[in-house]
Amino acid sequence: MKIPTALLLAFTSLTFISCQPTSPEEVLTAYLEKANHGEFEEAAKYADKESQSMLMFMASMTPAADKLKMMQQTVDINVVTADTKPDVAYVKVDLVLDKKKKSQGDFVLKKENGDWKVAMGERFNKVKEKEAQAATE
């Protein structure tokens, strides 16, 4: 009886491990799904250390009623482009909320302890650089 239980446990563990997002696109998709549903603590699992503190702040400041609304919205994420290098990835996505609000975003992911993590600080720096370039043109 112990052998089937051990096999079931091993299979369940392998299934769980294989379901974990590993590519930059998968990590970003999981992050955006959680963040856009108001699950900031869960989204923090896919973020770098710097971004985790921002997400925890958002979790503490977002009223429960707003989180409930966020949980009920539909979120569609489509990867447009991904440029992956050994330790950094640049991913552009289309984001559709409730089948009507559409935005496009550029995200930066970095390797942290061997895993891809969303680096929101890097994203904001990239947005600021683009705005500064546009202002000088």
Side-chain angles (χ1 to χ4, degrees), residues 5-7 20 31 33 39-40 48 58 82 88 90 109 121 129:
T5 303
L7 286 174
Q20 296 297 314
Y31 169 85
E33 286 174 352
E39 299 174 60
F40 302 114
D48 67 353
M58 290 173 64
V88 66
Y90 304 95
L109 289 89
E129 286 175 20

Side-chain angles (χ1 to χ4, degrees), residues 9-23 26-27 46:
L9 181 59
F11 178 74
T12 304
S13 297
L14 287 173
T15 302
F16 177 73
I17 290 169
S18 66
C19 293
Q20 296 297 314
T22 56
S23 73
E26 292 171 334
V27 170
Y46 304 105

